[in-house]
Amino acid sequence: MPYTVLPTISEAARNALSAYDPLLQQLLVNRGIIEGDVAVQFLNPDYETQLHDPFLLTDMARAVDRVLTALRNNERIVIYSDYDCDGIPGGVMLHDFFTTIGHDNFENYIPHRHEEGYGFNVDSVPTLNERGVSLIITVDCGITDHAAVLAAQTLGIDVIVTDHHEPSDTLPQACAVINPKRDDAYPFSGICGTAVAFKLVQAVLRRGKEEGIITLKEGMEKWLLDLVGIATIADMMPLRDESRVFAHYGLTVLRKSPRLGLQHLLRKAGGNQRFLTEDDIGFTIAPRINAASRMDDPEDAFHMLRTRNEGEAGAYVAHLEKLNNERKGVVASMTREAKKRLKERSELSPVIVMGNPEWRPSLVGLVAHTLADELRRPVFLWGRDGKGIIKGSCRSGGMASVVSLMEGAAHAFLTHGGHHASGGFSVSHDRIHTLEEVLVQAFEAYTENVSESPHIHAVDLVITPDDITDALFRMIDMLAPFGPENPKPLFAIPDVMLDRVTVFGKQANHTKINIHTGRGRMDGIAFFKIPNAFANIPEEGKRVTLLAHLERSFFMGRLESRLRIVDVV
């Protein structure tokens, strides 16, 4: 069977969650929430009570002291952020913070992905020194950039590292290193890079107000949460604990954000700001922000988020839209080539390594994500950057931590790092040809239980079409926003009669079905999946079991409720 239904909750859990509807009880337990007080916090995220004290982060006090000294002395500060959809919002956030508190002696620096590569680049330090910089604050990078930090400190430039990536065995010799993963001091390690930088903002505000250095209306920093929300959702943070609060309030602020670039972007994409969801971030906002660094200059996305000029906002959005469309075409071509080469293999190894010197390193992660999801195994893809260096990205496919795999094969890499689900690396020309063999060995050492069985969908509940009511949608809304560790509820709807089955889209690669429910006629949509790609090919008049999410979507001026089809069995 291609799906299994999660177990019915225990009597103890039902008693603990007795304040809620039985269906909601089941959905909560399926997400590991079995206690009443935990459920209250989960269903009612609260900015004032559920965020942790920023001073619990190791080195936070030192960082705040250094920032306040820079503010008193009007020192030149550089905000050095990564070029993706975590670093860029974080860079804009600190830009807006310093601007709001009246410190204008600063600049933003975002490395060029193709020419400089990832992280705090040692070659940038002399240039920043010449500009009179005395303090560098990194955002979403720096935790493994020992050489750059040392170079800066040698020139008398202090560095505050704010990052959330996995630290190496030693920390950079910075003035302060703020990373929830460096030790166990902070209660929750699953926050994004922008959120770590936001914790610095919270701490600087608290101390700055106490010392009379900063005068800012209480709660004004909450307007920065739109950027924290974008980064939290785009960087696939686990939506529990503090990250759930950031995602919830981030979306709340986004729905009324005055950022002209976001308003233009959503209008151009056919969305509506008032009804914005995490899906709009994942499928509309984040791809266009990331397209800037993948195809051109990351500062285009920075300025789109930062600008307060209507004309500039429209121009930047138009440019990002063009880049995103170009990106889609290149990625589709790379994916076709990769799949063709995989078909030519006699068998697939438990870890896939593949590359092409003509592939852009900035795009291989998107292809690796697609392949890893389809093949259910780690995939490492590489290309060659503007300096002739072999660089790549990897995705886990849910089978192993790519960080652990790379650490198990550390001798094969020039550099490597990232999260457990995704990462980046560089390799010398003489080692690239044996990289797959070395990673397979690391994978075998990592786990002896490699499953080659088909993916089994874990279904939250079995329902009938008549169960699909407004009340059910309201219950699902209570669990939102969705993401890692809080997946969208998946329902099995057996014995459904399909009224219509059509394909749509420019390339006829999406499927729409139509059924009757308790709300009347309802559409079901599956993007990038044609009918014969399902386990059971959907046809008009056929009775099938649908595996689907229930979602509300606002598109082209109309709010609709629909099924998001995962499979037909």
Side-chain angles (χ1 to χ4, degrees):
M1 177 181 285
Y3 74 92
T4 183
V5 181
L6 292 171
T8 303
I9 68 173
S10 67
E11 192 63 32
R14 196 171 295 285
N15 290 335
L17 301 173
S18 60
Y20 305 107
D21 182 278
L23 190 150
L24 185 56
Q25 292 175 7
Q26 181 73 55
L27 294 176
L28 287 167
V29 170
N30 290 354
R31 280 143 192 79
I33 299 167
I34 58 175
E35 298 169 351
D37 56 343
V38 177
V40 169
Q41 286 202 339
F42 185 82
L43 295 172
N44 303 279
D46 186 81
Y47 180 86
E48 305 299 337
T49 63
Q50 293 181 28
L51 294 186
H52 305 300
D53 185 345
F55 284 98
L56 293 175
L57 284 158
T58 303
D59 275 2
M60 181 60 84
R62 294 176 62 186
V64 170
D65 285 342
R66 185 64 187 88
V67 172
L68 293 179
T69 297
L71 296 180
R72 287 191 197 95
N73 299 331
N74 195 32
E75 296 179 46
R76 187 155 187 80
I77 300 172
V78 160
I79 303 162
Y80 196 115
S81 61
D82 189 24
Y83 44 61
D84 69 0
C85 203
D86 189 358
I88 289 176
V92 176
M93 185 201 66
L94 287 184
H95 170 282
D96 289 1
F97 171 66
F98 285 125
T99 300
T100 302
I101 64 174
H103 182 83
D104 58 7
N105 191 15
F106 75 92
E107 65 179 282
N108 284 80
Y109 189 101
I110 307 172
H112 194 286
R113 188 171 197 154
H114 196 57
E115 295 173 4
E116 296 178 79
Y118 169 78
F120 181 19
N121 193 310
V122 69
D123 293 337
S124 67
V125 174
T127 302
L128 298 177
N129 184 53
E130 290 172 5
R131 296 177 189 168
V133 171
S134 58
L135 175 62
I136 296 172
I137 303 174
T138 73
V139 181
D140 194 38
C141 62
I143 193 64
T144 58
D145 297 320
H146 300 77
V149 171
L150 183 60
Q153 300 281 107
T154 301
L155 290 172
I157 304 173
D158 284 331
V159 179
I160 296 172
V161 172
T162 75
D163 201 354
H164 75 129
H165 292 94
E166 299 290 334
S168 55
D169 292 337
T170 58
L171 295 174
Q173 297 177 29
C175 169
V177 178
I178 305 173
N179 185 330
K181 292 176 180 163
R182 66 171 287 183
D183 54 34
D184 296 327
Y186 199 65
F188 181 65
S189 65
I191 56 177
C192 67
T194 295
V196 177
F198 183 76
K199 303 305 293 188
L200 176 62
V201 166
Q202 287 183 306
V204 168
L205 274 176
R206 186 195 302 179
R207 281 272 306 281
K209 287 180 178 179
E210 290 171 356
E211 298 181 17
I213 299 170
I214 297 174
T215 55
L216 193 67
K217 187 177 178 182
E218 194 68 31
M220 285 299 290
E221 78 280 0
K222 293 178 183 178
W223 283 104
L224 301 174
L225 289 172
D226 57 349
L227 299 164
V228 185
I230 288 172
T232 296
I233 292 168
D235 215 33
M236 301 292 288
M237 290 298 99
L239 295 188
R240 306 300 284 267
D241 202 285
E242 201 166 42
S243 283
R244 178 167 171 82
V245 178
F246 283 138
H248 172 84
Y249 281 92
L251 286 166
T252 300
V253 175
L254 273 166
R255 289 170 188 142
K256 50 189 175 183
S257 173
R259 296 187 190 280
L260 298 175
L262 286 175
Q263 292 173 5
H264 273 268
L265 191 156
L266 289 167
R267 283 199 299 269
K268 194 170 186 66
N272 185 294
Q273 187 176 358
R274 291 190 303 120
F275 297 100
L276 186 140
T277 70
E278 65 273 18
D279 283 343
D280 293 299
I281 293 176
F283 297 111
T284 301
I285 297 173
R288 286 158 178 80
I289 291 175
N290 283 327
S293 67
R294 285 179 169 139
M295 305 300 292
D296 194 6
D297 189 336
E299 292 197 0
D300 293 330
F302 169 83
H303 291 304
M304 183 273 292
L305 290 172
R306 173 206 57 80
T307 186
R308 297 175 184 272
N309 179 283
E310 194 81 43
E312 281 187 3
Y316 282 121
V317 166
H319 180 59
L320 292 181
E321 185 71 17
K322 177 175 176 289
L323 292 179
N324 192 49
N325 288 333
E326 291 175 1
R327 186 268 307 169
K328 288 179 183 177
V330 175
V331 169
S333 176
M334 291 167 61
T335 303
R336 285 193 297 270
E337 179 186 339
K339 288 183 175 182
K340 180 181 177 183
R341 288 166 59 183
L342 286 171
K343 284 182 180 179
E344 293 169 353
R345 293 191 179 195
S346 57
E347 61 177 333
L348 295 181
S349 64
V351 179
I352 301 296
V353 177
M354 189 184 303
N356 183 330
E358 300 301 316
W359 286 353
R360 294 190 188 205
S362 59
L363 299 180
V364 293
L366 300 173
V367 183
H369 178 82
T370 298
L371 296 181
D373 272 0
E374 290 182 5
L375 300 174
R376 304 293 297 168
R377 68 194 68 210
V379 174
F380 289 68
L381 300 184
W382 57 267
R384 186 178 289 159
D385 73 4
K387 296 181 179 179
I389 299 173
I390 293 175
K391 290 185 175 180
S393 291
C394 47
R395 300 293 185 270
S396 73
M399 294 299 292
S401 162
V402 292
V403 170
S404 297
L405 292 186
M406 289 188 286
E407 288 174 352
H411 63 282
F413 297 98
L414 294 174
T415 59
H416 62 86
H419 308 298
H420 293 304
S422 64
F425 59 90
S426 62
V427 188
S428 65
H429 289 77
D430 60 335
R431 288 192 180 271
I432 190 62
H433 302 295
T434 58
L435 183 60
E436 182 167 289
E437 177 185 341
V438 173
L439 283 169
V440 168
Q441 292 172 357
F443 181 82
E444 290 172 347
Y446 178 85
T447 175
E448 296 178 359
N449 301 308
V450 181
S451 172
E452 294 294 339
S453 61
H455 179 54
I456 304 296
H457 296 288
V459 167
D460 283 279
L461 284 166
V462 178
I463 61 175
T464 70
D466 288 342
D467 293 325
I468 303 175
T469 62
D470 287 335
L472 179 55
F473 274 99
R474 285 194 295 271
M475 247 178 280
I476 294 169
D477 288 342
M478 293 173 68
L479 299 172
F482 299 108
E485 296 192 21
N486 182 32
K488 288 183 178 181
L490 180 61
F491 299 98
I493 314 171
D495 197 31
V496 177
M497 173 74 78
L498 301 181
D499 285 351
R500 292 187 64 200
V501 179
T502 56
V503 293
F504 67 100
K506 291 181 181 179
Q507 299 176 338
N509 58 347
H510 312 309
T511 299
K512 178 189 284 189
I513 67 172
N514 194 270
I515 66 171
H516 284 282
T517 72
R519 297 168 49 89
R521 187 181 290 270
M522 180 174 284
D523 288 335
I525 303 290
F527 292 111
F528 303 104
K529 207 165 186 177
I530 58 176
N532 63 8
F534 294 103
N536 184 4
I537 298 175
E539 298 170 343
E540 291 183 19
K542 192 174 186 179
R543 288 198 171 273
V544 299
T545 294
L546 298 178
L547 305 185
H549 306 297
L550 304 183
E551 64 181 19
R552 299 181 194 268
S553 174
F554 195 100
F555 185 71
M556 301 305 288
R558 189 165 63 94
L559 181 65
E560 65 174 355
S561 301
R562 66 187 184 190
L563 304 173
R564 176 68 71 92
I565 306 299
V566 174
D567 208 348
V568 181
V569 297

